[in-house]
Amino acid sequence: MAVLVLAELNGSELAQDLTAKTLTAAQELGEVTILCASESCTEAAEQASRLEGVSKVIKIENPIFGNGLAEPLADLIVSLSDNYDHLVGPASTYAQNILPRAAALLDCMMISDISGIISEDTFERPIYAGNAIQTVKSSDPKKVITVRTAAYQAVAEGNSAPIEEMSQEIANTISEWVEDRVASSDRPELTSAGIVVSGGRGVGSVEDFELISKLADKLGAAVGASRAAVDSGYAPNDWQVGQTGKVVAPNLYVAVGISGAIQHLAGMKDSKIIVAINKDEDAPIFQVADYGVVADLFQAVPELIEKLDEIQ
């Protein structure tokens, strides 16, 4: 089986962690080719070629692909699809904006957010906020798939796959790029961070949420939030972890003032180690936590920061 993986690109840069984890899943399906398409993606293609398990990288440079517009990229994927049985990308905002459009153009079902591969046509995906696993079998000639990257480890580097440069003329009369507004941060990106510190409604206010940020900075961590904290205005939307936010699986997840609603657990329960700080000993978060601290967060977190200062 031949597999085409859509590389996650930020302009001309490869989102290596997401692409490398997607590649781990794609290798189970067959020989993998990675597609890098942007206005300028030479460096991204070279990074992709070093990922283990890649047989070839296709590099297509064209201004029409430079801003990640879904319509021309979906048309591009369809134009290349004759040579592939599976079209795969990460379950990210980028790929999930593109691949469903490609699936529609190919008249195929969209198989989204898979967490397991049973065979070349049968896949597992979480449903009901992760409380059940659905088995999906597709009889379509092309399988269009997005991968829940939190369920997979990233492949290593050390490969030297050939890079094939192609030119592909795609017309786009549907959409137009206007501008990107990107929030900048010195902290790690939430979905790929090794450590995440999240705050919930129990933090109480925007001002007190600075305590979460301070702890995250001490640990070199990304900052997350529960939906309740985001809805209360304590944290921005892009920090939300959960079923309707981002799915994370860091080595360490610290949940502060989070009760553990099922929607939140769906976004973080695959974390390697979970530490919960909550004054309610009956909070559901303690059922999934590896370590639980029953305490007032306004006492426990400053003490933890103080101990970290002593170590550092």
Side-chain angles (χ1 to χ4, degrees), residues 6 68-79 81 87 93-111 144-146 172 174-176:
L6 175 64
L69 291 179
E71 290 80 6
L73 282 165
D75 288 342
L76 173 63
I77 290 168
V78 170
S79 73
S81 64
L87 308 172
T93 303
Y94 179 83
Q96 292 199 141
N97 189 28
I98 297 165
L99 288 175
R101 299 171 193 268
L105 292 169
L106 292 165
D107 196 24
C108 295
M109 70 183 292
M110 179 69 225
I111 307 169
V144 185
I145 301 162
T146 59
N172 176 35
I174 299 174
S175 60
E176 178 185 2

Side-chain angles (χ1 to χ4, degrees), residues 269-296:
K269 66 181 182 181
D270 290 329
S271 304
K272 307 303 180 291
I273 297 175
I274 299 172
V275 176
I277 301 173
N278 199 299
K279 65 182 179 181
D280 179 6
E281 63 182 18
D282 296 320
I285 191 70
F286 289 123
Q287 296 176 16
V288 299
D290 298 286
Y291 300 94
V293 179
V294 179
D296 186 331

Side-chain angles (χ1 to χ4, degrees), residues 44-69:
E46 290 173 352
Q47 284 180 275
S49 72
R50 292 194 289 268
L51 297 174
E52 292 289 354
V54 178
S55 62
K56 182 175 71 173
V57 176
I58 294 176
K59 181 182 77 170
I60 300 178
E61 294 186 320
N62 188 320
I64 200 170
F65 306 128
N67 301 110
L69 291 179

